[in-house]
Amino acid sequence: MELGDIAVGVIGLLLIFIGYLFLDIVLEFFVLAPGYLICRLLYSKRVDPDNGRVVFVSIVFWGAVIAAGLYIFPYFQKQCAIDSCLDSGGRYDYQHEVCIQ
């Protein structure tokens, strides 16, 4: 076996290990942490982090965050268009929602 083949194998295993480590950290931090904190706030100080309730609350939390983002995005998009119009020296017609240069 050549040295290059061994190096490719070792690098591949190292990348797999780093990928699993990153995935575990992301799942723990982004998926379980919000549910754990919310359950701890609402229910009691003794919450099992691996409980199904924690996962369910995390899923509901992220669903609410995504729904709020989708609901609020058009408002911010409109405000950015108004700001861009005014910054360019134009006048914004709020009734027809167009920029008049």
Side-chain angles (χ1 to χ4, degrees):
M1 195 177 255
E2 293 183 22
L3 187 60
D5 293 336
I6 294 172
V8 167
V10 169
I11 290 173
L13 286 174
L14 185 63
L15 288 176
I16 289 172
F17 173 73
I18 291 171
Y20 280 128
L21 187 65
F22 179 73
L23 184 64
D24 188 44
I25 289 171
V26 165
L27 284 177
E28 288 286 329
F29 185 71
F30 286 112
V31 175
L32 294 179
Y36 175 74
L37 292 174
I38 292 170
C39 285
R40 200 168 160 186
L41 260 168
L42 296 178
Y43 297 114
S44 70
K45 299 295 179 193
R46 291 184 182 176
V47 176
D48 182 18
D50 295 326
N51 193 350
R53 180 184 289 167
V54 171
V55 175
F56 177 74
V57 170
S58 289
I59 291 170
V60 169
F61 169 77
W62 285 115
V65 167
I66 290 170
L70 290 174
Y71 180 74
I72 293 172
F73 179 74
Y75 172 77
F76 283 115
Q77 190 176 18
K78 181 180 173 185
Q79 295 304 317
C80 287
I82 293 170
D83 188 48
S84 175
C85 175
L86 297 177
D87 284 346
S88 67
R91 187 171 50 95
Y92 193 79
D93 183 5
Y94 290 95
Q95 187 175 15
H96 297 103
E97 295 184 356
V98 292
C99 182
I100 302 168
Q101 292 293 336

